Amino acid sequence: MKSELERYPLTGRFLLGRLRQAMSDREKDVLENSIVDVREYDDGHRLLTRGEVCERSTMLIDGFIVRAIHENDRRYIVGMQVPGDFVDLHAFALKRLDHDLVTIGPARVGTVMHERLIELMATEPHLSRVLWFSTLLDAALHRQWLLKLEQLKANRRVAHLLAEIWHRLDMVGLSRMDGFRSPLTQTDLADMSGTTAVHMNRAIGELRRLGVADFRRGTLTFADRAKLEEHGDFDPTYLYGPGALYIGNLLDPQD
């Protein structure tokens, strides 16, 4: 992975652990060279506001970004992005998003102008399909969040969420064997899990009491990953890494 990031410092984590193997070196170069206007932002910076016209899409290089909807004086986090994610590629088609994009902690991002994406669609059909895959992957994550929100109680919902974040960070080489570090707060987890900060505090306390996992100051630690995943009814298949839904070479360019 180190050599991949050395060669592609802006996009080297894009689809790592999922479909990156389907991209040729030339396509990786094309994507890397399409990134412009790299910037760093502090915590809480709103990259895009609901309803704003989008002329570019965002590649998250470092840090975390959430999708947030505000209703009735409350924030609901409906998605989270980790390094390597093309945060708002679907804005290329929609032009206006129905949610805000906000940094959680410091973040470094690059952008691809939509004019450039139009060129890629005309000249790079296979790369365009790979980009489409990344957008549909976001949809798979949304479906799983909805499913677990309906199925599980609060402490099991947060266990599922923490297990997912660990797997996603592990795919891009940013996890630890026993967890991960992040700028996430219990309030952020509550807004992701459809509960309140008070209930989230209790839910995490229950995970700690059961010996499933601990979450303090943005750091997840667990002694047994399988126990965390079992408690959260977590099956990583929907992340499209190795497993039943793994793409393998199915999207390799055809001769």
Side-chain angles (χ1 to χ4, degrees):
M1 184 191 307
K2 184 177 180 180
S3 59
E4 192 80 355
L5 291 174
E6 287 175 346
R7 183 170 179 180
Y8 309 105
L10 305 180
T11 61
R13 288 193 168 95
F14 177 63
L15 292 181
L16 201 59
R18 295 185 177 98
L19 194 65
R20 190 166 181 85
Q21 78 284 346
M23 297 172 63
S24 68
D25 287 347
R26 187 189 61 78
E27 288 174 329
K28 293 175 185 178
D29 287 335
V30 168
L31 182 60
E32 180 81 8
N33 294 331
S34 296
I35 301 293
V36 298
D37 195 22
V38 176
R39 297 188 183 188
E40 296 183 0
Y41 296 103
D42 294 329
D43 175 49
H45 181 83
R46 190 171 298 182
L47 291 167
L48 191 65
T49 302
R50 182 181 188 273
E52 181 181 348
V53 176
C54 306
E55 300 294 346
R56 59 180 66 195
S57 289
T58 306
M59 171 68 72
L60 180 55
I61 303 168
D62 295 302
F64 295 83
I65 291 174
V66 297
R67 307 177 190 277
I69 295 176
H70 292 81
E71 285 190 2
N72 301 320
D73 298 321
R74 182 172 173 186
R75 180 187 67 165
Y76 298 87
I77 294 178
V78 296
M80 190 193 77
Q81 310 302 139
V82 303
D85 286 351
F86 228 135
V87 178
D88 53 352
L89 188 57
H90 52 296
F92 172 58
L94 293 172
K95 299 310 292 182
R96 299 177 191 268
L97 298 183
D98 61 350
H99 55 274
D100 299 338
L101 298 177
V102 186
T103 59
I104 297 291
R108 185 163 67 109
V109 305
T111 56
V112 177
M113 301 303 298
H114 288 176
E115 291 179 355
R116 176 57 174 160
L117 291 176
I118 291 173
E119 294 175 2
L120 294 181
M121 288 182 65
T123 61
E124 301 287 342
H126 180 258
L127 179 57
S128 297
R129 188 177 185 183
V130 170
L131 296 176
W132 189 14
F133 172 92
S134 74
T135 302
L136 297 177
L137 182 62
D138 281 339
L141 268 65
H142 286 311
R143 286 191 292 272
Q144 195 68 199
W145 279 31
L146 287 172
L147 179 64
K148 297 309 174 183
L149 190 64
E150 292 290 329
Q151 286 182 333
L152 305 178
K153 293 183 178 180
N155 73 84
R156 297 188 67 201
R157 288 203 300 271
V158 71
H160 185 278
L161 182 62
L162 292 171
E164 178 194 287
I165 296 171
W166 185 91
H167 268 267
R168 293 172 67 187
L169 291 174
D170 188 52
M171 284 177 166
V172 296
L174 293 174
S175 71
R176 305 183 312 184
M177 289 296 293
D178 63 344
F180 62 79
R181 298 181 187 276
S182 77
L184 294 167
T185 66
Q186 289 191 14
T187 298
D188 295 327
L189 294 180
D191 291 349
M192 292 178 190
S193 302
T195 188
T196 66
V198 171
H199 283 90
M200 181 53 58
N201 184 266
R202 293 173 182 166
I204 291 175
E206 182 70 4
L207 294 182
R208 190 180 302 128
R209 185 185 70 80
L210 294 172
V212 173
D214 196 6
F215 184 82
R216 298 175 188 266
R217 297 182 179 180
T219 298
L220 168 72
T221 54
F222 52 75
D224 185 342
R225 195 180 88 208
K227 189 173 184 179
L228 171 66
E229 294 177 356
E230 181 180 3
H231 191 74
D233 192 26
F234 177 78
D235 176 354
T237 303
Y238 70 97
L239 298 177
Y240 281 80
L245 299 181
Y246 187 56
I247 299 300
N249 63 356
L250 294 178
L251 289 190
D252 288 359
Q254 300 298 311
D255 294 332

